[in-house]
């Protein structure tokens, strides 16, 4: 199951030494006191505040923390009360949720929760545009998905999204956001997440933030405005994930899920939970990948969208394969096929159009490759290449998958030939994931390093991507 979030008793924050550490911004001393007073571990503390255990250890040993963004992350992860935040020199914040399950109302009574969520999203977009080098230092933590996923199912229904601002927002504004999102999504598929990420962050900050904060809209328009915003925020998280900015991706996806909740959009909620599962499994946390995929499937069923259920099931299967559980993987794959067979694709939203037979075949191939069944992986990888040519990045992934299947079967010449094709496509992209798949193939072929074809392939990879460090 998902890890339980760290719960620090409120009494800790009134402890004399804790208050002194906060006033001095002595984060190392603060961490030592939290460990001592709560009996928790460095790993658990790090998971809660989104920092690697090694970095927590270096802070405890004396490394200074001066970045406001990191201090905010620590304050949020520790669920500091407002007086503790003020002692640390941070502004009090209205968070969209608390780690205390008893806190079932907004922190500031009278202000709808959806406004708190919107404010948090706008702050992230502005911070991403203005302090990107700082934001990139934020570490990914699987535990950081625990509370948002739980909150998705347990939070009370939000108040209607309606506002009396100074600028009238109408259907043309919503349509423009959706058109821009479709354009950015097309560029993402063609050129990779690193190509348009800056532009998407600026669009969210400069165009959408004023609509949300200053706009005048009724309930129906407000809900559509939020749903359109959710879709672009999720894409921004996906771009950051594809660029290996995993902590940034996590923050975007968490806020996208919060926005989907206040927009009451179960379809997008399922898609975001699926993206979280995808990232967790990619980063080798299969257990969290399974939990999040199941949460996505449950939400998809609630939304009544079978194709989303199929997507969630195939992601669950991949996580089971990474956990080396062939039986659970096979069951989930069979259920995914059945769900896709039941799906009527005519009414699908545009953002799920990528999920087709080729995508499903690729996921089957990844599952069988993870389970060591290279021949099966080869068959599905070959099928996955019968795909829509607009998905250039996906073609790079699928070529690398097929080359890996050939490598596992000892067909070195074929592996290098297909790997060369994957490299040719990857060089057109700004995608850290595509680079990683080629590099993984290079590592798999290293055991055949004396083979002339492997030497030539390795030289090509290093000449194109740079020598391995």
């Amino acid at each position: 199951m998902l890890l339980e979030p760290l719960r620090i008793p409120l009494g800790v924050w009134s402890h004399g030494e804790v208050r002194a550490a906060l006033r001095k911004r002595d984060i190392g001393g603060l961490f030592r006191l939290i460990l001592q007073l709560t009996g928790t571990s460095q790993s658990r503390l790090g998971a809660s505040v989104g920092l690697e255990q090694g970095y927590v250890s270096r802070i405890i040993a004396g490394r200074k923390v001066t970045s406001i963004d990191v201090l905010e992350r620590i304050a949020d992860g520790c669920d500091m009360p407002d007086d503790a935040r003020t002692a640390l020199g941070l502004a009090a914040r209205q968070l969209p949720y608390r780690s205390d399950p008893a806190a079932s109302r907004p922190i500031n009574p009278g202000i709808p929760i959806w406004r708190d969520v919107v404010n948090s999203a706008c702050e992230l977009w502005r911070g991403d545009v203005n302090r990107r080098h700082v934001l990139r230092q934020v570490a990914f933590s699987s535990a950081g998905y625990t509370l948002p996923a739980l909150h998705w199912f347990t939070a009370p229904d939000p108040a209607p999204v309606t506002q009396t601002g100074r600028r009238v927002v109408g259907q043309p504004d919503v349509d423009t956001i959706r058109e821009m999102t479709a354009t950015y999504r097309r560029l993402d598929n063609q050129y990779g997440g690193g190509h348009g990420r800056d532009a998407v962050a600026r669009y969210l900050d400069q165009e959408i933030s004023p609509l949300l904060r200053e706009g005048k809209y009724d309930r129906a328009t407000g809900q559509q405005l939020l749903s359109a915003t959710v879709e672009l925020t999720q894409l921004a998280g996906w771009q950051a994930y594809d660029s290996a900015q995993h902590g940034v991706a996590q923050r975007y996806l968490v806020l996208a899920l919060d926005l989907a909740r206040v927009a009451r959009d179960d379809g997008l909620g399922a898609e975001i939970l699926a993206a979280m599962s995808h990232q967790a499994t990619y980063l080798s946390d299969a257990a969290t990948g399974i939990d999040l995929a199941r949460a996505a499937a449950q939400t998809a069923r609630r939304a009544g969208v079978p194709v989303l259920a199929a997507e969630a099931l195939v992601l669950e299967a991949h996580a089971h394969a990474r956990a080396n559980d062939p039986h659970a993987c096979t069951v989930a794959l069979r259920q995914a096929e059945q769900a896709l067979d039941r799906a009527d694709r005519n009414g699908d939203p545009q953002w799920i159009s990528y999920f087709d037979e080729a995508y499903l075949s690729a996921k089957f191939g990844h599952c069988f490759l993870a389970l060591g069944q290279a021949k099966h992986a080869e068959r599905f990888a070959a099928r996955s290449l019968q795909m829509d040519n607009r998905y250039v990045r996906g073609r790079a992934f699928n070529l690398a998958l097929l080359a890996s299947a050939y490598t596992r079967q000892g067909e070195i010449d074929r592996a290098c030939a297909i790997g060369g094709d994957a490299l040719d496509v990857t060089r057109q992209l700004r995608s850290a994931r595509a680079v990683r798949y080629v590099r993984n193939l290079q590592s798999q072929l290293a055991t055949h390093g004396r083979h002339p074809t492997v030497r030539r392939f390795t030289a090509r990879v290093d000449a194109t991507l740079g020598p391995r460090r």
Side-chain angles (χ1 to χ4, degrees):
M1 61 183 296
L2 294 171
L3 296 173
E4 276 290 311
L6 176 63
R7 304 190 190 283
I8 299 176
L10 282 176
V12 167
W13 303 111
S14 59
H15 190 282
E17 292 181 67
V18 170
R19 302 299 290 189
L22 289 168
R23 286 193 296 270
K24 296 176 186 175
R25 279 197 177 173
D26 177 9
I27 303 303
L30 175 65
F31 279 179
R32 283 194 295 275
L33 288 164
I34 288 174
L35 296 178
Q36 175 188 335
L37 294 169
T38 65
T40 194
S41 66
Q42 288 186 16
S43 296
R44 182 102 182 273
L45 176 60
S48 292
V49 300
L51 301 173
E52 300 293 339
Q53 183 273 328
Y55 190 49
V56 171
S57 182
R58 290 193 292 275
I59 292 172
I60 291 173
R63 179 164 182 163
K64 299 294 184 185
V65 177
T66 57
S67 163
I68 294 297
D69 214 63
V70 176
L71 289 170
E72 288 274 10
R73 179 86 170 185
I74 291 168
D76 292 349
C78 290
D79 201 10
M80 285 187 192
D82 286 344
D83 59 337
R85 293 179 64 94
T86 302
L88 191 58
L90 301 175
R93 294 182 64 189
Q94 282 76 49
L95 299 176
Y97 49 78
R98 291 273 192 171
S99 62
D100 179 3
S104 59
R105 63 182 185 279
I107 298 168
N108 190 344
I111 297 181
I113 288 178
W114 73 264
R115 293 189 192 275
D116 288 332
V117 176
V118 164
N119 286 336
S120 295
C122 293
E123 287 168 16
L124 173 61
W125 304 334
R126 173 55 55 88
D128 195 7
V129 170
N130 292 340
R131 300 194 307 276
R132 176 157 296 169
H133 65 288
V134 174
L135 195 61
R136 283 175 179 163
Q137 298 173 10
V138 175
F140 172 85
S141 162
S142 292
Y145 281 148
T146 303
L147 194 57
L150 176 65
H151 198 68
W152 170 256
F153 289 106
T154 61
D157 289 339
V161 178
T162 180
Q163 184 168 268
T164 55
R166 62 188 183 187
R167 173 180 173 180
V168 176
V169 178
Q171 191 61 44
D173 298 289
V174 175
D175 292 341
T176 298
I177 294 170
R178 291 198 163 122
E179 284 293 327
M180 291 298 294
T181 300
T183 298
Y184 286 131
R185 195 179 299 282
R186 190 162 53 250
L187 292 172
D188 176 64
N189 287 320
Q190 267 190 288
Y191 301 108
H195 176 77
R197 200 177 100 62
D198 290 357
V200 170
R202 284 195 301 272
Y203 187 79
L204 285 163
D205 177 49
Q206 296 171 13
E207 301 296 332
I208 296 182
S209 184
L211 292 178
L212 290 169
R213 283 180 153 169
E214 303 166 15
K216 177 181 180 180
Y217 37 83
D218 59 19
R219 179 173 182 170
T221 303
Q223 193 164 348
Q224 288 192 56
L225 174 62
L226 270 191
S227 286
T229 302
V230 172
E231 188 180 341
L232 188 54
T233 304
Q234 189 268 345
L235 175 60
W238 191 259
Q239 290 176 315
Y241 165 28
D242 192 50
S243 303
Q245 297 171 23
H246 291 292
V248 178
Q250 181 170 44
R251 293 187 68 173
Y252 267 96
L253 291 176
V254 166
L255 277 168
L257 188 66
D258 283 336
L259 287 166
R261 178 174 55 81
V262 296
R264 305 187 184 194
D265 195 324
D266 282 342
L268 279 170
E271 178 73 355
I272 294 160
L273 288 162
M276 292 174 168
S277 171
H278 200 297
Q279 185 187 25
T281 300
Y282 178 83
L283 294 174
S284 301
D285 189 340
T288 300
I290 291 166
D291 285 337
L292 289 166
R294 287 172 172 169
Q298 184 174 337
T299 303
R301 286 190 285 270
R302 188 168 73 186
V305 185
V307 69
L308 284 173
E311 178 192 26
L313 285 162
V314 80
L315 289 170
E316 181 186 344
H318 192 194
H320 284 307
R322 293 292 296 272
N324 197 28
D325 188 340
H327 175 71
C329 175
T330 301
V331 170
L333 287 177
R334 186 181 305 114
Q335 291 174 341
E337 281 188 306
Q338 292 168 348
L340 191 59
D341 286 343
R342 290 193 300 269
D344 178 2
R345 305 304 304 270
N346 292 323
D348 283 355
Q350 185 273 337
W351 43 260
I352 193 62
S353 60
Y354 68 89
F355 190 83
D356 55 15
E357 292 290 345
Y359 186 96
L360 189 68
S361 294
K363 280 299 180 186
F364 271 60
H366 281 292
C367 289
F368 286 120
L369 195 67
L371 293 172
Q373 300 177 32
K375 192 64 182 176
H376 288 315
E378 176 201 336
R379 186 171 74 254
F380 283 103
R383 279 188 204 170
S384 74
L385 290 167
Q386 299 170 17
M387 60 186 297
D388 189 326
N389 289 328
R390 291 174 298 177
Y391 297 103
V392 178
R393 180 180 53 201
R395 180 166 294 278
F397 296 165
N398 296 351
L399 286 166
L401 172 65
L402 181 58
S404 293
Y406 283 137
T407 301
R408 298 282 182 89
Q409 296 176 81
E411 298 188 41
I412 304 307
D413 289 335
R414 297 181 77 178
C416 289
I418 299 298
D421 293 339
L423 179 63
D424 289 340
V425 179
T426 297
R427 70 191 300 177
Q428 306 169 34
L429 302 168
R430 292 179 62 184
S431 167
R433 285 191 297 152
V435 169
R436 176 174 166 177
Y437 285 131
V438 172
R439 288 297 195 188
N440 285 348
L441 175 63
Q442 185 182 21
S443 297
Q444 293 161 17
L445 287 165
T447 55
H448 306 277
R450 294 184 179 181
H451 195 295
T453 309
V454 172
R455 288 203 302 270
R456 287 193 295 272
F457 174 72
T458 298
R460 275 194 65 199
V461 171
D462 289 341
T464 303
L465 304 179
R468 299 201 76 161
R469 297 178 181 176

